[in-house]
Amino acid sequence: MDTLGPSPLLWLEFDKDGAIDPALTEKLAALLNQPGMTDLVVISHGWKNTKDDARTLYGTLWANACKKLTPDKARRTVVAGIVWPAKAYRTDFDTETLVASGGGAQAADGAAAPVEDLDDEAFKEVLADFEDLFGADGTATAEKARAAAETLDETTSLFLVRQGKAAIGSSRSDTELKADAEPIALATEDANSAKVLMEGLVPPPTFSLESSVGKAQGLGDFVSGLISGPRAAVARFLNQLTYYEMKKRAGVVGEALTKNVLSKLVLQQPIRLHLVGHSFGARLVSAAANKLAPVPKLEFFSLTLLQGAFSHNGFAKEIKPGLAGAFPDVVGKPTGPICVTHTHNDLACTLAYALASRLSRDIAKSIGDANDEFGAMGANGPQHLKAGQAVEDDADAVFAPKAGKVNTFLADKYIIKTAASDAHNNVANEEVGRLLANIVG
């Protein structure tokens, strides 16, 4: 039997379509039916993760949680580690070249930093990531992308945009993905529309930030990128498609977790269920929670989202008249707490996510904060909830989550950039482990 510290561990490995070996559900039930077992913690990673990466993340987080759990509690808790094909997504390169506008960017020698196209090596990396993610399905798109990087005309633009629409596929009831992908759908109507969309991706993004966002990122209130040109446009488009694919996969695998595993558990004793997700993994477990129906002897107790890379409107019953979030049935389901960490220290959620969600380049308004239509859960916490549904963490991070509430934890002090990690991935530290222990314990 595999273990994670003192706890039994089972790996739940899904493919991109959500398929999983049915025998794993039986193995999970067998672990949970061992005498004295009380809890099941299901943890999901986000992008850029192999199974070894996932083991490190889960092992470190759970070890820090176990420091605050009683030894008996840890032994009576089964951990299920999700593995899903998410390793190929890369943070958009624009966020790596953002500079404060006004005084101008400075190169190492003090001269103005040049605005230039993506270099060949970086462009090849984007293509390699894309082909690694989509496999044979992405080969034709990658070939046209190479051609478009040389000549961005109507023919190459229309092909790419149509391939983009096909790659996204049907959004079904996923209102978040549907809204994100709408510019691609509209641009498939004719070649000129496609070219206009692609040409709009040539110049670097320039946008304003709310002061709190700019301060957290060490930027000003108005910033610009430094990458401009046809290779940059094509790379931005391909990054966009990998971003959509990751969002789609997270939803598909999350629903499969509920349909093919949790709902099929045959339990002989009461078990409390805790769903925990990081980054796109937070979207995965939210999708699972949204579809979860009552299962005999399985109490859905808690949902924990660590720097969630999905819309901060995801749990809303109504964002605006006639429009709900992607997961409107989550709030109220757990008998215990829903817990969400958020901070503008997180570059991936605060800026990269906000940029990737707006292919139309609609950046007239400030981006990244709670007022951003395309803001992330991990940047701002949940938005558009009904009065009284959410409660905020106190400034001293006592971590006393309230059952039946959406508990929002402003993580400025403990989800931070360090020498070993950026803020987005610094979610397995001792403070976060203590939070998880307070939830599970």
Side-chain angles (χ1 to χ4, degrees):
M1 180 181 69
D2 204 351
T3 59
L4 202 65
S7 304
L9 169 68
L10 181 70
W11 291 103
L12 299 177
E13 299 193 41
F14 294 86
D15 70 10
K16 66 182 180 65
D17 299 313
I20 188 173
D21 183 352
L24 289 173
T25 301
E26 296 179 7
K27 290 180 179 179
L28 181 58
L31 288 175
L32 294 170
N33 287 329
Q34 292 181 113
M37 289 298 171
T38 60
D39 292 77
L40 168 62
V41 175
V42 181
I43 313 179
S44 178
H45 63 79
W47 67 65
K48 295 183 179 179
N49 277 265
T50 64
K51 187 174 181 178
D52 286 342
D53 295 329
R55 178 181 282 277
T56 299
L57 171 65
Y58 303 162
T60 305
L61 176 59
W62 190 239
N64 281 325
C66 287
K67 292 177 182 178
K68 299 299 180 180
L69 292 173
T70 66
D72 186 60
K73 183 67 173 183
R75 286 192 297 267
R76 292 174 181 269
T77 299
V78 174
V79 178
I82 293 177
V83 179
W84 60 290
K87 63 185 176 66
Y89 181 74
R90 56 177 279 157
T91 301
D92 194 299
F93 53 83
D94 279 317
T95 58
E96 300 168 9
T97 63
L98 290 175
V99 295
S101 297
Q106 298 294 311
D109 60 2
V115 177
E116 55 189 18
D117 204 351
L118 201 65
D119 63 42
D120 288 337
E121 183 177 353
F123 185 62
K124 288 177 181 177
E125 288 179 2
V126 172
L127 289 173
D129 281 351
F130 183 84
E131 291 183 282
D132 182 45
L133 177 64
F134 286 96
D137 293 339
T139 300
T141 304
E143 290 177 357
K144 289 294 184 180
R146 292 184 181 92
E150 298 296 328
T151 305
L152 194 59
D153 56 23
E154 289 186 348
T155 300
T156 55
S157 295
L158 184 60
F159 181 89
L160 284 178
V161 172
R162 285 181 173 172
Q163 288 298 101
K165 182 179 180 181
I168 295 167
S170 172
S171 61
R172 296 176 296 171
S173 60
D174 193 328
T175 58
E176 180 183 337
L177 188 58
K178 182 179 179 180
D180 287 351
E182 186 176 3
I184 292 180
L186 293 175
T188 58
E189 295 177 357
D190 59 78
N192 183 63
S193 296
K195 185 182 179 184
V196 169
L197 183 146
M198 292 301 299
E199 287 180 339
L201 298 176
V202 169
T206 299
F207 51 89
S208 59
L209 301 175
E210 290 296 327
S211 59
S212 61
V213 175
K215 182 178 180 181
Q217 293 298 328
L219 299 167
D221 295 341
F222 193 69
V223 295
S224 296
L226 293 176
I227 307 298
S228 178
R231 282 197 300 267
V234 174
R236 287 181 179 114
F237 185 76
L238 296 184
N239 272 350
Q240 204 80 19
L241 297 189
T242 61
Y243 161 82
Y244 292 146
E245 176 67 13
M246 285 297 93
K247 293 186 82 169
K248 183 174 70 173
R249 284 189 191 182
V252 168
V253 174
E255 291 186 8
L257 169 63
T258 285
K259 180 180 179 181
N260 299 330
V261 180
L262 300 176
S263 67
K264 293 186 177 181
L265 290 174
V266 179
L267 301 175
Q268 298 169 5
Q269 58 192 352
I271 296 292
R272 296 196 314 170
L273 170 66
H274 311 271
L275 298 177
V276 182
H278 168 235
S279 188
F280 275 140
R283 191 175 208 272
L284 188 156
V285 296
S286 294
N290 195 59
K291 292 294 185 180
L292 187 61
V295 177
K297 297 187 178 180
L298 184 68
E299 177 189 0
F300 178 22
F301 185 78
S302 72
L303 174 66
T304 303
L305 309 180
L306 305 175
Q307 297 310 111
F310 68 102
S311 173
H312 57 197
N313 297 324
F315 292 160
K317 284 286 189 182
E318 185 177 73
I319 302 170
K320 57 185 178 181
L323 180 64
F327 312 116
D329 297 326
V330 170
V331 177
K333 273 192 178 181
T335 57
I338 295 174
C339 297
V340 181
T341 68
H342 65 98
T343 175
H344 289 158
N345 294 336
D346 185 335
L347 175 67
C349 281
T350 305
L351 297 184
Y353 178 91
L355 280 176
S357 296
R358 43 175 33 93
L359 183 62
S360 63
R361 316 290 276 188
D362 177 18
I363 48 182
K365 299 180 180 179
S366 298
I367 78 167
D369 71 342
N371 295 316
D372 185 352
E373 178 184 356
F374 297 103
M377 189 72 74
N380 307 303
Q383 304 298 310
H384 292 287
L385 297 183
K386 294 180 179 178
Q389 288 185 319
V391 292
E392 296 182 358
D393 173 42
D394 62 85
D396 294 327
V398 172
F399 298 152
K402 295 178 173 59
K405 297 289 185 179
V406 180
N407 298 261
T408 62
F409 295 91
L410 180 62
D412 290 352
K413 295 181 180 179
Y414 52 92
I415 293 184
I416 58 177
K417 183 178 180 179
T418 68
S421 174
D422 60 19
H424 181 68
N425 291 295
N426 184 19
V427 294
N429 59 57
E430 290 195 8
E431 289 297 284
V432 179
R434 182 165 62 85
L435 169 60
L436 183 58
N438 283 16
I439 295 166
V440 174

